[in-house]
Each structure stands twice: as structure tokens, then as C-alpha cells.
Amino acid sequence: MKKGTTKAAAVIFLILLAGIYYYVKLPAINIHAAGFWTFLILVIAAILVIYIFRRKLFRGQELKQNKVVKGLVGLIFAVVAVYLVGTLLSSPIINAKKYQKLLTVENGDFAKDIKELSFDQIPILDKDSAKLLGDRKMGSMVDMVSQFEVDELYSQINYKDKPVRVSPLRYASIIKWFTNQSEGIPGYIRIDMATQTTELVKLEEGIKYSTSEHFNRNIYRHLRFSYPTYIFNELSFEIDDDGVPYWIAPVKKFNIGLFGGETVGRVVLCNAVTGETEDYAIEDVPEWIDHAYDADLLVELYDYHGTLKHGFFNSILSQKDCLKTTDGYNYLAIDDDVWVYTGVTSVNKDQSNVGFVLMNQRTMETKFYEVEGATEASAMSSAEGQVQNLKYKATFPLLLNIAGEPTYFVALKDDAGLVKKYAMVNVQKYQIVAVGNTVSECETNYLGLMEQNGIQVERDSVNAEKTETISGKIRKIAQGVIDGDSHFYLMLEGSDEIFDVSVVDFIDIIKYDVGQEVTLEYKEGENANVVLSLNGEKKETKSDDAQNEQQ
């Protein structure tokens, strides 16, 4: 009886240990998951330890002669051997051709595929800037800031045909979770990446499933218990067309051996409020979803495509015809999908690109564009060179079609991480660099520079703005300084509009005073109308040399 009780206790203890490990680590019960093999080895090792202690086999000779011990040790080595051999047989060393063909790449037409975006569709914020805006918004919510903070996810999605970043709130601490978990997380942050409008969207019913939840409402544990065999990729947070928050959980698919050729086979949607899940095959995923394929996975797949054309050892040794993506990527919103953009260069990492690729995060569709030009790093350096006296730092570029020309669009930030200016750099002629305080001003300067450099510009841009003319006497004039440049602000008799005249562009403005007659050609601005002509004198677009001399 005592012997049977000991056996039962040992089995219960083993099951308890395995259950605790599973509850904490959440390994997928799937032979393609590395965590499953670790779990299997630990279970066998635990059985071995319990057997040794139960039999009191503490002498080396007893251990060596015991058949059960030898069998369990052999089983551990066998499992490790299967794992290692499976890893090798799944690797690009043996399966270079299969890896190279994981991604189908088509050649694209830049002017046809990448349409010009209106200014309200250009995502001018990167993730770091979005975090600053999100934290500021949270800091202004006095009723929530002591209990919640903003998660650092900030997924970029298309929401009602506009690029936005969304991120849920999370509990500020374990104590705040205890006091608030019954009602859940009250909302999420939504940031318009074009206008920088930041909203805290409050929900009628709180988010009950998130990364900051504990026990069974933790989103990872909830998904694992619902789908014990699925191997999930990185989760993303998105909202549907009605603003309902969801967790998007791509399910890994292994196409080569046990562990190789990773893509996505299915996608699980989990309602962040109710916890209800929906399971879709990748080809049936709803169109509002933007993150079925992780950006890093797509970049990795393209690197396989570009480097393994002539086998694995060629990619290491002679490197003939080997191309790879540049360091970094950004996102483009095209036809209500989010596409990953990155440049393509030689494996020698020279200072020029042979083209760039766009990869759809919902469908994995990939297009290559043969546009030779500067790397993103070179474009960032060129943009920073235009404002070197201000010591602004460039964000990773966004590729735009500006008047038919492939153009790097760069935001320039100060030491506090705030966007202060914008730059446009021509991809093929990266000495053409224009800077502006607004996107509109930057584009105007850029178009002028291209014309000066002999590039025929398509003036029927979607952002072409009508200019207007007004004449009248100055009734009020004031001076201000923006980023080191002097500006005069005018108001004319019979008008409530404010007109912004840059001293850099119109030095004669310092001669004018209240009561004098002026004629202004201008275009509407957000806070003040930007003056393009003062009494017939047109605003000039400076060449690169002139700008550098000024600096």
C-alpha cells in the first residue's frame, strides 16, 4: 500500500510540474515547435530524476547498470539528436532552392503601382513620434493616468482609408490590475499619422484580453488554451472598420522539413473585449486585417530570394548575383492594404540601391521595382545635411511618388523627438534635397529644385493647390521666429486672414509697415496663409549650393 501511494504521489508530482511548466511557458503541442521538444526533454528528465530518487540510486555504478536509467538517458539523447538532425535537414544549407522559392516576386511599374498620395494620406509619424503623442494624450487624461499607461505596440494600420497607429492601454502595475481587472481596460489610443490627431477611444465595455492581463485572460494564454497545437507568430493589435479592437495572431506554417521555410498558414482573430476567436485560412482573411505577415518575416523571405539564387555556399563565398534588403523598412498604404517598403542593394552594402520591394502584409504579394539610386541611409544623411545647423535627426524614409519621381520623404526631428521639418530627396539624383516647415512647403520647394535640375515635373499633382491673390492695406503686422528663420505676419484691411511672409524668401518685407498697400499671392495654410509672391516678387526655391552656403 505504501509502495503504491509513493508511485501515485510521484506521478501526481510529475503531472503537477508539467502542468506548471505548460501554464507558464505555453509551448505548442506541435512537433514543428522548438518549445515542444524542450518540454519533451524536460518531462523525460523529470521522470528520470524522480525514478533515481525513488530507487535511491545514488552510486555511479548503480546508475550505470540500471536499465531504466540507461533507457531514459538514451531517450533524452535520441530526442536531442532528432531535434538537431531535423534542424540541419530544415536549414538553407541543404534546401537553398526551396528557400529561394518561398517568396514569389513580380516586377512592378513604379508610376502605375504607386500613385501620388494626398497630404492627408502621407504618414509623417514614425513609431517613436507616435509614442510621444500617445504618452502626452494619456498624461492629459487625469481620470486614467494613475491607473493605466499606453502599451508600446502602436501597430500601423489603414483605418477608413487613412494611415493610423493604434495601441491599447495597459494596467500600470499589478496593483492597478487587481483594482481594475473586473471592468477591464477602458480603451485604446488612435493616432492619425498624417494630421497627428491623437484620440483616446473609450469603449462601452472594457478590453478583457490583453498582454497586461494575468492568468487565463492573458491573451497569450487564452490563445494557447483555445488552440494548443498552433504555433503563433508575433501578435498585433488592430481595429476593424467599426473601431472594435482585435488581436491578430498569425499561425506559422513550416514548408521545409521540421523547422524550416516559415510562412503563415492561418490567422486567428481574437476580440479583445469578449475573447471570442475566429480562425481563418490565410487566403480567407478579412480585408480589413493589415498584419497577417510580420514585416521582419517578409524581409527575411526576400533575403532568401535574393541571396540563394545560386545556392547556399555561393551566398557565403563568391556571392554572385546576391542581393539583400537594406537596413530598415517602412510602410506604405496602397489600396487599403499596408505594404512593407525596403530598398534592395548588393550584399557588399555599397552606397546605392539597385531597386526596392513592396511586400503586402495581408497577402504576401511582393513586387520589385528596378529604380537605381541612393540608399535610405544616404538619403537620411542628405536630409540632415540641409539642417545641420539645427542638428535635427532624420527618420527612416518613406518612398513616395512625387510628380512621377521616386522620392524619399523624411521627417526631421529635434532632440526631444518632435517633428520640426520635412525633407524630400530624389532617389535617383539624391543631391536634389528640399526642406520645408510643412509637407506642402517641402513639396513646393522640391518641385522647384527638380525643374532647376532639368527634371520635367508633372504639375497636375494630387496635392496641387490653387493660389489666390489679395490686395489691400496692412492693418496689422507682427514678427516671429520659426526654427531660426524670421517671419512677418500680416493682416489686411477687409480680411480676417493671416498671411505668413518669410524674411528668407522676401527680404523686402522689413521695409513695410501698417497702412502700406501690398499685393500678395498665397495658398491656404493650416494656421496662416503662405505667401508665394509679394508685390509681384516670386518666392525663389534655393538650389542645394545656395542652401549649403546659407548654412
Side-chain angles (χ1 to χ4, degrees):
M1 182 69 181
K2 185 178 179 182
K3 190 175 181 181
T5 303
T6 304
K7 279 186 177 181
V11 171
I12 291 172
F13 180 69
L14 180 62
I15 294 173
L16 183 62
L17 279 180
I20 292 173
Y21 179 88
Y22 182 80
Y23 192 81
V24 174
K25 291 296 185 179
L26 303 173
I29 309 302
N30 190 314
I31 62 170
H32 296 291
F36 169 76
W37 292 86
T38 302
F39 178 65
L40 186 59
I41 291 170
L42 289 175
V43 169
I44 299 171
I47 294 173
L48 175 62
V49 171
I50 291 173
Y51 180 81
I52 290 172
F53 275 91
R54 182 170 166 270
R55 292 284 180 157
K56 298 180 180 180
L57 302 174
F58 301 126
R59 295 180 183 179
Q61 194 64 27
E62 292 177 337
L63 288 173
K64 290 180 181 179
Q65 293 178 351
N66 189 283
K67 293 183 179 180
V68 175
V69 171
K70 288 195 292 185
L72 291 173
V73 171
L75 184 58
I76 290 175
F77 278 105
V79 172
V80 172
V82 170
Y83 177 78
L84 293 177
V85 171
T87 301
L88 177 62
L89 295 178
S90 306
S91 69
I93 298 175
I94 296 175
N95 302 282
K97 288 185 178 180
K98 292 181 180 179
Y99 272 87
Q100 201 270 335
K101 294 178 180 179
L102 285 172
L103 191 68
T104 301
V105 180
E106 301 175 355
N107 290 325
D109 184 323
F110 176 82
K112 180 181 178 182
D113 295 343
I114 304 177
K115 304 297 183 183
E116 287 193 64
L117 299 176
S118 60
F119 291 146
D120 63 353
Q121 293 178 307
I122 297 176
I124 61 178
L125 291 175
D126 62 359
K127 188 173 182 178
D128 291 337
S129 297
K131 286 180 180 179
L132 287 175
L133 293 177
D135 290 342
R136 283 184 177 182
K137 185 65 177 180
M138 197 64 210
S140 67
M141 307 301 293
V142 293
D143 59 329
M144 294 186 188
V145 70
S146 64
Q147 303 297 310
F148 303 95
E149 56 190 18
V150 187
D151 200 298
E152 296 185 354
L153 289 172
Y154 286 99
S155 305
Q156 180 173 333
I157 63 171
N158 281 351
Y159 178 64
K160 297 184 177 179
D161 294 328
K162 289 189 176 182
V164 302
R165 284 192 182 270
V166 290
S167 193
L169 304 185
R170 65 184 180 193
Y171 301 105
S173 68
I174 185 67
I175 301 300
K176 307 301 171 60
W177 172 77
F178 271 114
T179 56
N180 292 282
Q181 58 92 21
S182 60
E183 295 180 358
I185 296 170
Y188 57 86
I189 293 289
R190 184 175 66 210
I191 302 175
D192 189 311
M193 297 179 65
T195 65
Q196 303 187 45
T197 302
T198 306
E199 302 175 79
L200 173 58
V201 180
K202 295 184 179 180
L203 301 167
E204 293 183 6
E205 185 179 348
I207 293 173
K208 300 293 199 315
Y209 296 84
S210 72
T211 56
S212 62
E213 283 285 352
H214 298 275
F215 303 112
N216 288 9
R217 276 182 16 190
N218 177 275
I219 184 59
Y220 298 109
R221 191 164 289 113
H222 177 67
L223 288 170
R224 171 56 63 233
F225 290 167
S226 300
Y227 302 93
T229 63
Y230 281 6
I231 306 171
F232 293 108
N233 206 340
E234 293 293 325
L235 303 188
S236 64
F237 181 82
E238 297 191 31
I239 56 176
D240 67 9
D241 294 332
D242 297 320
V244 177
Y246 280 86
W247 292 100
I248 311 301
V251 181
K252 294 182 181 182
K253 177 183 178 183
F254 295 89
N255 301 276
I256 304 171
L258 276 178
F259 311 114
E262 178 187 326
T263 56
V264 174
R266 309 189 66 81
V267 176
V268 174
L269 277 60
C270 178
N271 187 305
V273 176
T274 66
E276 296 176 355
T277 60
E278 300 173 76
D279 184 8
Y280 293 94
I282 185 63
E283 60 271 15
D284 299 325
V285 167
E287 291 188 4
W288 62 265
I289 290 177
D290 292 314
H291 286 269
Y293 289 89
D294 179 71
D296 290 324
L297 173 61
L298 292 173
V299 169
E300 180 181 56
L301 290 173
Y302 188 84
D303 284 341
Y304 288 141
H305 175 83
T307 59
L308 299 176
K309 294 177 182 177
H310 303 299
F312 176 79
F313 291 104
N314 175 75
S315 70
I316 302 298
L317 301 175
S318 63
Q319 298 182 327
K320 179 184 177 182
D321 297 332
C322 287
L323 300 174
K324 65 175 295 183
T325 55
T326 51
D327 295 331
Y329 52 78
N330 214 325
Y331 303 93
L332 277 178
I334 304 175
D335 297 331
D336 202 31
D337 278 332
V338 175
W339 296 66
V340 177
Y341 151 77
T342 185
V344 177
T345 186
S346 70
V347 293
N348 296 321
K349 293 187 176 181
D350 54 27
Q351 295 301 306
S352 62
N353 284 350
V354 299
F356 61 89
V357 287
L358 293 179
M359 299 171 282
N360 191 306
Q361 287 197 274
R362 181 173 59 86
T363 65
M364 203 173 77
E365 180 183 358
T366 301
K367 293 186 178 182
F368 173 76
Y369 299 85
E370 188 175 352
V371 180
E372 296 182 2
T375 63
E376 295 88 348
S378 298
M380 292 165 69
S381 297
S382 296
E384 289 173 352
Q386 297 299 307
V387 290
Q388 57 186 337
N389 58 317
L390 300 173
K391 298 181 179 179
Y392 291 161
K393 294 297 181 183
T395 61
F396 191 84
L398 183 69
L399 187 74
L400 298 180
N401 179 346
I402 302 295
E405 286 288 313
T407 302
Y408 289 128
F409 175 76
V410 180
L412 295 162
K413 302 195 293 186
D414 62 12
D415 290 338
L418 300 176
V419 177
K420 291 296 186 180
K421 287 180 180 289
Y422 306 96
M424 291 183 180
V425 183
N426 191 280
V427 172
Q428 296 173 301
K429 296 183 177 180
Y430 59 95
Q431 74 277 12
I432 300 177
V433 186
V435 176
N437 293 314
T438 64
V439 181
S440 175
E441 180 183 349
C442 183
E443 186 195 44
T444 300
N445 295 339
Y446 180 64
L447 294 175
L449 278 174
M450 285 199 294
E451 288 179 332
Q452 289 180 23
N453 283 270
I455 298 176
Q456 188 173 359
V457 172
E458 301 174 8
R459 282 291 183 176
D460 55 343
S461 165
V462 296
N463 293 309
E465 299 180 61
K466 295 181 179 179
T467 60
E468 298 185 33
T469 303
I470 188 172
S471 298
K473 291 183 179 180
I474 300 174
R475 67 181 176 91
K476 184 179 282 190
I477 186 169
Q479 187 178 3
V481 177
I482 300 177
D483 294 327
D485 294 336
S486 294
H487 292 249
F488 279 81
Y489 297 93
L490 313 181
M491 295 187 72
L492 306 184
E493 293 181 358
S495 173
D496 292 327
E497 299 288 325
I498 300 174
F499 301 92
D500 177 5
V501 184
S502 170
V503 175
V504 174
D505 298 317
F506 304 102
I507 187 66
D508 287 347
I509 188 61
I510 64 175
K511 302 176 183 178
Y512 289 82
D513 207 341
V514 173
Q516 289 186 269
E517 186 86 19
V518 292
T519 299
L520 307 175
E521 182 184 355
Y522 67 93
K523 63 180 178 182
E524 292 185 359
E526 192 171 329
N527 299 314
N529 298 324
V530 180
V531 173
L532 304 176
S533 171
L534 172 65
N535 287 342
E537 178 191 351
K538 290 282 186 181
K539 173 181 177 179
E540 293 185 2
T541 304
K542 296 177 177 59
S543 66
D544 292 342
D545 293 338
Q547 289 183 2
N548 290 331
E549 286 175 7
Q550 183 183 350
Q551 293 167 2

